[in-house]
Amino acid sequence: MSNTKNTQESQGSQKSQDSQTSGTSNDTRTARKRPSPMEVLRQARGQLAELTGMEAESVSSFEQTEEGWALEVEVLELERVPDTMSLMASYQVELDAEGQLTGYRRVRRYERGRSDARRPGGR
């Protein structure tokens, strides 16, 4: 009988330790530091390229939001000769607080050599 009692006690002790350990890992996960702006930029460019198959040429807008990060990324969609006639696109990219892409959409297309008269400052 005493052997059974010890086994039950040790199982209870193990469960107690497991719950303490899992609580610690949850605290560590929530306390994880946010990525730096440069890390977010690199992740956004890489993730967008992986999803679209097009490499980002530049990031024209970048800001931290309540939900994470918002970027506008310039992408070469169609290469032409001369290069000023190449077709470019701006993509709005949203990332969570950890830098993982949560959504993107193309917001405009334009020829590389032309400014956009619709937007102030040519953005």
Side-chain angles (χ1 to χ4, degrees):
M1 270 295 195
S2 68
N3 207 10
T4 305
K5 183 178 178 185
N6 286 339
T7 303
Q8 289 172 343
E9 285 176 5
S10 66
Q11 287 174 349
S13 172
Q14 181 65 37
K15 287 179 183 177
S16 169
Q17 288 175 355
D18 288 347
S19 67
Q20 288 175 356
T21 304
S22 68
T24 303
S25 67
N26 286 340
D27 293 343
T28 304
R29 206 175 309 128
T30 56
R32 190 183 330 172
K33 76 174 187 81
R34 290 178 68 121
S36 72
M38 287 307 297
E39 290 170 332
V40 171
L41 286 171
R42 286 185 195 105
Q43 289 177 352
R45 291 174 66 135
Q47 292 175 62
L48 184 65
E50 188 174 341
L51 288 170
T52 64
M54 297 176 283
E55 291 293 322
E57 290 211 348
S58 65
V59 176
S60 58
S61 168
F62 178 71
E63 67 180 308
Q64 190 170 6
T65 65
E66 288 181 16
E67 297 82 28
W69 305 88
L71 296 82
E72 191 163 312
V73 180
E74 308 302 316
V75 173
L76 174 64
E77 285 202 334
L78 181 62
E79 192 169 3
R80 293 183 179 159
V81 176
D83 191 46
T84 55
M85 298 302 290
S86 292
L87 195 57
M88 304 290 294
S90 293
Y91 283 84
Q92 184 175 344
V93 180
E94 296 172 3
L95 296 97
D96 65 16
E98 295 177 356
Q100 295 301 307
L101 194 138
T102 58
Y104 74 94
R105 71 174 179 269
R106 185 173 61 202
V107 292
R108 69 184 176 117
R109 291 177 93 184
Y110 60 95
E111 290 178 340
R112 185 189 297 268
R114 296 186 188 218
S115 64
D116 192 352
R118 295 179 294 129
R119 299 174 123 184
R123 294 186 317 176

